[in-house]
């Protein structure tokens, strides 16, 4: 089995860099789970601040992870939708959820 | 499809918490790829500092992610081996490598 370890490490580090801090994947998860409005997303992620969510959503819009739509009714409605790119994190998120469930006891002990 | 979204988010956040910063997964990957000695691991991960690797390996030993063996020959030889627990990150790492390879162009553009 000859794998290119250097290339793999680079790919791993690119992904980690892109995921960044602790909030991006929970936000992606929330939006992919059907939450569309700012307050919905905020409520679905305990511990996130309004400021952090706002900052992340702006970056995610720039990176084409979410599509932001403004409905100019009264009151104005803003919705965030996941792009295909956003959904490309599905496998990573699934594996992380699996790991977290399996190792719940271990993590709690710490 | 009725999933427990709250439980899933908790599992996701536990995993993210456990993975912590940007170095733990590359170190796990390196050790699981067969690197055993401190300098080998260090050389396999561009950008990591001696201090950071030392700190991470200590934490990983405490968390039973690696087994540290000291061979008291002359010169003293220290080896790090992956535990089963360490290998439990395999799927997450694989998915991250897949994502990184697939989205190489996008990440580079940023």
């Amino acid at each position: 089995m000859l794998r290119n370890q250097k290339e793999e490490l680079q790919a791993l580090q690119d992904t980690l860099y892109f995921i960044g801090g602790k909030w991006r994947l929970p936000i992606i998860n929330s939006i992919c789970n059907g939450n569309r409005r700012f307050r919905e997303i905020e409520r679905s992620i305990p511990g996130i601040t309004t400021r952090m969510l706002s900052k992340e959503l702006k970056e995610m819009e720039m990176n084409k992870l979410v599509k932001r739509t403004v409905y100019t009714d009264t009151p104005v409605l803003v919705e965030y939708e996941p792009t295909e790119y956003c959904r490309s994190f599905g496998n990573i998120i699934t594996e992380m959820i699996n790991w977290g469930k399996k190792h719940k006891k271990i993590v709690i002990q710490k």
Side-chain angles (χ1 to χ4, degrees), chain A residues 4-62:
Chain A
N4 187 336
Q5 291 190 3
K6 207 172 156 185
E7 188 194 336
E8 288 193 0
L9 175 66
Q10 188 59 58
L12 175 61
Q13 288 188 306
D14 282 349
T15 307
L16 282 164
Y17 175 81
F18 192 81
I19 288 171
K22 59 181 182 172
W23 296 118
R24 184 157 296 180
L25 287 186
I27 295 168
I28 288 174
N29 186 53
S30 173
I31 295 175
C32 286
N33 276 344
N35 294 307
R36 292 285 174 269
R37 297 172 67 171
F38 190 94
R39 296 291 168 204
E40 276 177 354
I41 302 165
E42 190 178 22
R43 265 195 299 270
S44 74
I45 306 170
I48 199 165
T49 61
T50 305
R51 188 175 172 167
M52 187 52 74
L53 179 57
S54 172
K55 182 178 162 285
E56 280 285 338
L57 283 173
K58 261 181 209 148
E59 279 182 33
M60 287 168 68
E61 195 192 346
M62 284 197 314

